[in-house]
Amino acid sequence: MLNLSFDHRSIGHIAMTCRFSYVLLACLLLPSLLLPGLLFAAENTDDDAAQARRDAVLVRAIERMQDFNYREHPEVIAAIDRQLHRTQGTPEFIRLVKKFQPAGIEKQLIETLVGDNRSAAVEAAVLLLEMEHGRPLVRQRLIDKAHGPVVAEVLGLLGNGRAIYFLSEITRQAEQPFDLRRAAVVGLARSKGGQKKLIEQADQKQLVGDTWLIAGALLARSDDESLRKAAGRVLPQPAQKDAKPLPPVDQLAKAKGDAVAGMKLFRGVATCANCHIVNGHGKDVGPNLSEIGSKLSREAMLTAILLPSAGISHNYENYVVLTAEGQVIAGLKMSETDREVVIRTADAIDRKIEVDDIESMKKSEKSVMPENLHHLFGQQGLVDLVEYMATLKKADPS
């Protein structure tokens, strides 16, 4: 009868000297027998490459052993931990996490979530959203300026109930950056459940206005006819003066325009300079646009022009005042005291109204900026105008 009563040091030296393929074969056939030697081999080498090979063999052997509690063996825990760090961000890392369910793995899963491997990132999202301590970490990264759009993309690719919930929290928070909310909208639009959530939010006026156009454009491409029709009712897309539909806003944003022609429109037909200052030129009614190209994407600029009331900036809300004489004065509220209110009209005229003469004063949902301005200059003019605005950037301090 074959005698297999080797001591663990002998087997360890065998594992250290045999070719990798033969050791692996032995592990698959006799994992329990070889475990002590493999542990010795894994713990007694200064060669990183050799260490990695032996850890891989040991971990593979442990996987083959039924009813083996690896947590009772510090050497095994160490080998698994090293293997997890080596494979982090890859599908192999995810497989090992699922197999061994190591404690405190959330931090490494979060790094995988924002890594370059999208398959591993989606699987990391699945695991994190199932973990009590993982969900808060996902939410934290989702609102992080550096990683938020990436996390939103991954959650959109996942598209399950929890992912949709996390994304739908972002799409209704006006205080979040536009780029993040846009990424959340794009993520929701990837799945049928997410598309339904966008339509629901739009119908209930929960979807932040400056993402209406991109949401409508994406939903118009849904492969579900009923969802396309529902989106068309709650998120109608802007049309040209002749009632022909404009291209979707994400396509318009990619179009190349003429910045010189756009500047002429800005100062002329488009009437932008009647309310906005650019490098000292124009009137001070709306926001100063001298650096708008450094602040907004082309898509956000298009949305601001096509749907001016969708995303009214703070301190630029439109107020409507009804005086005791029946006169209606609308514009920006510049100041308010116990004695008078100052309203700046769209013509940049400051109207002082005594409080005793005010019958009512309400904040309007409509912007001071007129709607359908693009009807004045058409689709190409719209593209030219945005091309010009994209050149208005903050001066380089150098």
Side-chain angles (χ1 to χ4, degrees), residues 217-228:
L218 294 171
L219 290 171
R221 302 166 193 165
S222 172
D223 57 6
D224 188 310
E225 183 179 3
S226 63
L227 292 178
R228 291 198 303 272

Side-chain angles (χ1 to χ4, degrees), residues 62 84 127:
I62 297 301
L84 285 168
L127 295 173

Side-chain angles (χ1 to χ4, degrees), residues 48-67:
D48 290 341
Q51 178 80 77
R53 289 194 297 272
R54 285 157 192 145
D55 283 345
V57 171
L58 174 59
V59 170
R60 184 61 172 162
I62 297 301
E63 290 185 81
R64 293 280 178 166
M65 296 173 63
Q66 296 182 359
D67 302 323

Side-chain angles (χ1 to χ4, degrees), residues 6-17 23 27 31-47 50-51 53-55 57-59 61-62 73-76 78-79 82:
F6 301 109
D7 63 62
H8 73 277
R9 288 182 178 272
S10 299
I11 298 177
H13 287 299
I14 293 172
M16 292 175 67
T17 56
V23 175
C27 290
S32 300
L33 176 64
L34 290 177
L35 179 59
L38 289 172
L39 290 176
F40 174 79
E43 291 297 314
N44 289 272
T45 180
D46 295 325
D47 186 326
Q51 178 80 77
R53 289 194 297 272
R54 285 157 192 145
D55 283 345
V57 171
L58 174 59
V59 170
I62 297 301
H73 302 270
E75 302 93 339
V76 176
R82 289 191 295 268

Side-chain angles (χ1 to χ4, degrees), residues 182 213-214 217-218 221 247-255 299 302:
R182 184 196 187 280
L213 288 184
I214 185 61
L218 294 171
R221 302 166 193 165
V249 66
D250 53 338
Q251 293 182 16
L252 276 175
K254 297 175 183 177
E299 187 177 298
L302 285 163

Side-chain angles (χ1 to χ4, degrees), residues 249-294:
V249 66
D250 53 338
Q251 293 182 16
L252 276 175
K254 297 175 183 177
K256 187 69 176 176
D258 184 334
V260 175
M263 181 181 68
K264 293 178 181 178
L265 283 172
F266 188 96
R267 297 181 177 182
V269 174
T271 69
C272 305
N274 289 353
C275 294
H276 299 282
I277 292 177
V278 169
N279 298 326
H281 185 279
K283 296 181 179 180
D284 187 15
V285 178
N288 188 312
L289 301 183
S290 300
E291 299 175 354
I292 192 65
S294 299

Side-chain angles (χ1 to χ4, degrees), residues 342-356:
V342 178
I343 298 292
R344 180 169 295 176
T345 68
D347 298 315
I349 303 298
D350 288 348
R351 298 290 302 274
K352 296 181 180 180
I353 311 166
E354 293 186 7
V355 172
D356 292 341

